Amino acid sequence: MIVELGHYALVLALALSIAGAALPLCGALVGDRRLMAIASPVSIALFAFVAASFAALTHAYLVSDFSVRNVVENSHSMKPLIFKISGVWGNHEGSMLLWVLILALFGALVAAFGNNLPMRLKALVLAVQSMIGTAFLLFILTTSNPFLRLVPAPVEGNDLNPVLQDIGLAIHPPLLYLGYVGCSISFAFAIAALIDGRIDAAWARWVRPWTLTAWIFLTLGIAMGSYWAYYELGWGGWWFWDPVENASFMPWLAATALLHSAVVMEKRDALKVWTILLAILTFSLSLLGTFLVRSGVLTSVHAFATDPTRGIFILIILCLFIGGSFSLFALRAGTLAQGGLFAPISREGSLVLNNLLLTAACATVLVGTLYPLALEALTGEKISVGAPFFDMTFGPLMVPLLIAVPFGPFLAWKRGDLLAACQRLFAAFAAVLLTIGVGLVFAGPSKALTFFGIALAVWLLVGSLSEFAFRIKLFRAPLGESFRRARGLPRAAFGMTLAHGGLGLTVLGIIASTTWNTETITTMKPGESVTIGSRIVTLDGFLPVSGGTYSGTAARFTVREGGTTVATLAPEKRLYQVQNMPTTESAIHSFGLSQLYISLGDVKADGTTVVRIYFKVMILLIWLGAIVMALGGALSLSDRRLRVGAPKPARAGAAVAAE
């Protein structure tokens, strides 16, 4: 009965979504305040019904209701509770329901906390959000219904893909979807502005918190996905330039550009058309990522759907929203005023450079991702575009971007002084020269490129701290005054410092782990040892392991340094009986920011096994940097000036009064 109620709630959600798309839009076009007022309660009710439907599906997984086909195909009665819950979205149908749930959640949040928005703008935003919801609810109900019954019901389920039976599935998809789908709010604001024909600094002030929220979750989701692949797949890498990885990375690049563009628009009332375009582009890339995963055009551990009917349906959605939004943009962009002018050397100019490099990098990733698919569709020829292509195209675009980042905060609005900015970055320049000098002396010219990369990371770190130190007059005023200035700074200033510093940490982790990574692949028997760096790794023996729906073998390794045991690791080879699928479970031990990583091959009858041992220098900085970036975003979001429910600024208030 609960399953039928969940299905019925989804049907009612579709009806509400249609009403929420049509009625407020009509009200905004004809100026009917009663119709516009419908938008908020409908959006909140829509979220309630989708949440009820999602709860019904979750209940079916928790009680192992094998009369539901989705549960049969993706669960098992012996599966641990956490994997029963995460299994709800570990499949195509359930993940699409989570997609719509988060879409409805963002609409409900705008309805609940967007009381400072003009009624017409709010109605249009929620109407656009409901249009997206209508499309995807239709998609779920017609091609991906998670509530289909099986008669007769089987006794047991087929279990979830063993690779997905990990805590990463409980964290990565919800975070990623909160970022992916959260970009829909920026898109809705952009379409609403185009329909309304009016965009100003107040619009940028309203849209920036929603974009920042999506960016925070997208950052965390990508980082979690990278770490999950790193420890789960046993290959020791943290990024493969997989097309589906790229599909989440492209919206992140576009959202980063949108955040910086919105700052220019809010402060200087400039880059209006460009900001609208970026808002459309960011969500369009999110929809493209959804199409790549759901259409069956890719073969990947990330890809769920192989049914061409689903692919065609999503392609239609893609064409409607992307094509429709760009058509509307082409029609209305010319009517939008361009806003304030500024000199090339200014804070606006630095942010424009940031935007150009980010969008060029995004275009590079897009070409590398789609070109093999287009070539295969047109000629039948299959090619692979991997790391060498992206290293040669994406990397060079990032270098000038990273160099320019510390300059921006030191440049004045409208017209800046580049020489004065360089003088204020003296400590960063000195740190860069010291880093390169030390590298050349101790490592030699052959490692010059490596130390240039490290110097770039140092430049970001010291540059971000220099801007903060300049604002509080550190070492230029009494220490007590500097502390008072620090307490008086807005949280967004701390957030910017953290975000830029976190980027520097990630760059440092990438350079260090890539350059000084040590890898050993060897065949070992119990009692044998191998030396990796200053440590000796000994295979002590094997022991059986089992749990839930799997059994297997674990190898015990003892790690010694200077005759002292410093770690014990136990990588595993598992066999999941239901799907008869083997998996490799790596073992990892951290030494500060570095990690020792052991992956096990098949164990032969004579007790030998192939062992991969890596020592990853400072690799944890990659994910620590992403967390610091997200913390910086969260700190900025907590700033009252960016708070969604903050009082209206004077200009926005005047605009509302004028209505």
Side-chain angles (χ1 to χ4, degrees):
M1 183 64 181
I2 293 179
V3 171
E4 279 68 29
L5 288 175
H7 188 192
Y8 184 55
L10 208 57
V11 174
L12 290 178
L14 174 61
L16 282 169
S17 188
I18 294 171
L23 297 179
L25 177 61
C26 292
L29 294 177
V30 302
D32 190 327
R33 297 178 65 87
R34 291 173 300 177
L35 289 178
M36 287 190 283
I38 291 174
S40 291
V42 166
S43 296
I44 294 172
L46 173 62
F47 169 68
F49 279 107
V50 176
S53 181
F54 189 82
L57 183 61
T58 303
H59 178 268
Y61 271 82
L62 291 175
V63 301
S64 296
D65 185 353
F66 295 126
S67 68
V68 180
R69 188 174 74 178
N70 187 262
V71 179
V72 172
E73 293 175 348
N74 300 284
S75 190
H76 192 279
S77 60
M78 298 297 293
K79 196 165 64 171
L81 177 63
I82 183 64
F83 299 149
K84 286 185 178 181
I85 296 173
S86 59
V88 175
W89 54 80
N91 59 88
H92 169 72
E93 293 82 1
S95 64
M96 287 309 304
L97 188 56
L98 176 65
W99 204 101
V100 173
L101 175 67
I102 293 174
L103 182 77
L105 170 64
F106 274 95
L109 289 174
V110 172
F113 298 105
N115 295 327
N116 60 331
L117 295 172
M119 177 176 280
R120 177 180 168 85
L121 178 63
K122 184 178 180 180
L124 288 171
V125 168
L126 293 177
V128 174
Q129 197 75 356
S130 291
M131 290 178 195
I132 302 170
T134 300
F136 280 94
L137 284 167
L138 276 172
F139 172 72
I140 292 173
L141 288 169
T142 57
T143 71
S144 309
N145 189 350
F147 297 106
L148 294 179
R149 294 279 197 179
L150 286 178
V151 181
V155 177
E156 192 54 87
N158 299 336
D159 206 5
L160 183 65
N161 183 339
V163 175
L164 299 179
Q165 293 192 38
D166 186 87
I167 190 64
L169 182 64
I171 304 172
H172 168 58
L175 287 176
L176 195 64
Y177 283 15
L178 282 166
Y180 245 9
V181 184
C183 295
S184 64
I185 292 295
S186 305
F187 173 82
F189 268 94
I191 299 302
L194 289 174
I195 294 173
D196 197 26
R198 185 177 57 183
I199 178 172
D200 52 19
W203 180 91
R205 190 182 185 90
W206 289 318
V207 78
R208 196 147 68 100
W210 301 105
T211 306
L212 184 56
T213 300
W215 181 87
I216 292 167
F217 284 116
L218 198 52
T219 302
L220 292 173
I222 293 172
M224 180 61 212
S226 168
Y227 190 68
W228 182 17
Y230 164 71
Y231 74 75
E232 175 65 24
L233 299 182
W235 61 297
W238 56 273
W239 192 263
F240 192 64
W241 292 108
D242 179 283
V244 184
E245 290 176 334
N246 297 346
S248 61
F249 188 44
M250 289 185 290
W252 185 88
L253 291 170
T256 305
L258 174 59
L259 279 174
H260 291 85
S261 180
V263 171
V264 177
M265 186 175 165
E266 180 184 344
K267 300 294 185 183
R268 294 282 300 132
D269 200 26
L271 302 184
K272 294 180 179 181
V273 175
W274 176 244
T275 305
I276 290 286
L277 180 61
L278 280 176
I280 294 173
L281 180 64
T282 301
F283 185 61
S284 297
L285 290 169
S286 297
L287 289 178
L288 177 63
T290 302
F291 170 72
L292 290 176
V293 178
R294 311 293 162 184
S295 62
V297 300
L298 294 177
T299 302
S300 166
V301 69
H302 304 86
F304 291 122
T306 56
D307 183 358
T309 303
R310 293 171 174 172
I312 292 171
F313 201 118
I314 295 184
L315 184 60
I316 293 172
I317 294 175
L318 202 70
C319 293
L320 284 175
F321 283 100
I322 296 179
S325 59
F326 279 113
S327 297
L328 182 61
F329 175 80
L331 288 172
R332 302 302 297 270
T335 65
L336 300 177
Q338 292 300 311
L341 300 177
F342 52 87
I345 304 299
S346 62
R347 188 172 297 191
E348 298 97 320
S350 70
L351 293 173
V352 169
L353 177 63
N354 159 291
N355 271 220
L356 292 176
L357 291 171
L358 281 171
T359 50
C362 183
T364 297
V365 178
L366 181 65
V367 170
T369 303
L370 296 185
Y371 177 72
L373 303 176
L375 185 66
E376 182 180 355
L378 295 174
T379 67
E381 182 182 355
K382 292 187 177 182
I383 65 168
S384 176
V385 175
F389 168 82
F390 293 104
D391 291 343
M392 294 296 294
T393 56
F394 182 82
L397 288 169
M398 287 293 100
V399 171
L401 173 65
L402 297 178
I403 292 174
V405 165
F407 282 101
F410 284 111
L411 295 173
W413 294 103
K414 195 172 182 179
R415 184 178 298 276
D417 187 339
L418 186 58
L419 179 60
C422 290
Q423 291 172 342
R424 292 164 184 169
L425 285 167
F426 174 79
F429 280 114
V432 166
L433 292 175
L434 180 63
T435 302
I436 295 175
V438 169
L440 291 176
V441 170
F442 289 98
S446 62
K447 294 291 185 181
L449 192 60
T450 296
F451 279 93
F452 173 77
I454 293 175
L456 195 58
V458 170
W459 167 254
L460 284 167
L461 287 166
V462 181
S464 62
L465 293 174
S466 296
E467 191 273 337
F468 180 76
F470 177 78
R471 295 187 69 164
I472 65 173
K473 291 189 175 182
L474 189 64
F475 307 129
R476 294 183 295 116
L479 196 58
E481 182 182 343
S482 294
F483 277 121
R484 286 193 297 274
R485 283 178 171 271
R487 287 197 300 268
L489 283 179
R491 293 176 189 173
F494 289 94
M496 181 181 67
T497 299
L498 280 177
H500 290 172
L503 180 60
L505 290 175
T506 294
V507 172
L508 182 57
I510 292 171
I511 299 297
S513 63
T514 303
T515 304
W516 293 305
N517 171 44
T518 303
E519 178 180 352
T520 299
I521 303 176
T522 185
T523 301
M524 299 180 69
K525 288 183 178 181
E528 293 184 343
S529 300
V530 63
T531 300
I532 182 162
S534 61
R535 299 171 181 86
I536 298 174
V537 181
T538 303
L539 173 57
D540 298 325
F542 301 98
L543 62 153
V545 293
S546 63
T549 58
Y550 72 86
S551 61
T553 301
R556 178 185 170 89
F557 289 87
T558 300
V559 184
R560 295 180 177 86
E561 187 171 11
T564 303
T565 300
V566 294
T568 301
L569 291 88
E572 300 178 8
K573 289 292 291 187
R574 295 178 179 176
L575 177 66
Y576 285 79
Q577 292 94 346
V578 177
Q579 296 198 359
N580 193 31
M581 180 176 174
T583 65
T584 299
E585 302 295 323
S586 59
I588 302 173
H589 184 82
S590 296
F591 294 91
L593 296 170
S594 303
Q595 288 189 327
L596 181 68
Y597 182 112
I598 301 180
S599 178
L600 197 64
D602 292 327
V603 181
K604 298 181 180 178
D606 61 354
T608 61
T609 181
V610 176
V611 179
R612 289 177 177 263
I613 306 175
Y614 306 89
F615 189 73
K616 307 280 190 175
V617 177
M618 300 175 71
I619 192 169
L620 286 176
L621 283 178
I622 296 174
W623 302 294
L624 177 62
I627 293 171
V628 171
M629 280 191 278
L631 285 175
L635 197 57
S636 296
L637 192 63
S638 69
D639 193 320
R640 180 168 177 77
R641 298 177 306 164
L642 283 180
R643 201 171 303 163
V644 177
K648 294 182 283 289
R651 185 179 301 177
V656 174
E659 290 183 350

